[in-house]
């Protein structure tokens, strides 16, 4: 299996969590998608960069999810989700994925 960058997993989790919640109109289902991708990303972060890094990036993932809500009131839902997903992806790439592991 090809190695999928953790940045892609994290960004996809934020985007798909919102998309699933919006299109199914079932917020808990979106939460399942968000959480599942978060777990996969956290495992990758831990394996590639250690527990402290995984904890920090997991915190950023959760903060991005929480921060997207007030940001959405200012710029709109999809732009907000895209912005926070990009932020988490960038952090993940800079801290973990650009390393040769």
């Amino acid at each position: 299996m090809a190695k999928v960058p953790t940045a892609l997993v994290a960004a996809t989790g934020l985007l798909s969590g919102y998309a699933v919640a919006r299109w199914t109109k079932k917020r808990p289902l979106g939460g399942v998608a968000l959480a599942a991708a978060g777990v996969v990303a956290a495992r990758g972060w831990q394996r590639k960069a250690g527990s402290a890094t995984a904890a920090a990036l997991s915190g950023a993932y959760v903060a991005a999810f929480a921060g997207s809500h007030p940001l959405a009131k200012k710029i709109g839902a999809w732009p907000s989700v895209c912005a926070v997903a990009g932020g988490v992806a960038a952090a993940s790439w800079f801290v973990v994925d650009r390393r040769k592991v």
Side-chain angles (χ1 to χ4, degrees):
M1 184 171 133
K3 293 183 181 178
V4 178
T6 59
L8 179 61
V9 174
T12 300
L14 289 161
L15 292 165
S16 66
Y18 175 67
V20 168
R22 181 173 178 132
W23 290 323
T24 64
K25 299 194 185 331
K26 303 213 183 300
R27 292 178 70 170
L29 194 56
V32 169
L34 177 79
V39 167
V40 172
R43 285 183 180 168
W45 294 325
Q46 195 279 327
R47 183 176 44 81
K48 292 178 179 180
S51 297
T53 300
L57 287 171
S58 294
Y61 185 81
V62 172
F65 166 70
S68 70
H69 292 81
L71 183 59
K73 292 180 181 183
K74 296 187 183 294
I75 66 172
W78 275 113
S80 171
V81 173
C82 290
V84 301
V88 169
S92 179
W93 185 82
F94 278 111
V95 174
V96 177
D97 293 333
R98 72 179 176 156
R99 295 181 184 189
K100 301 237 180 201
V101 178

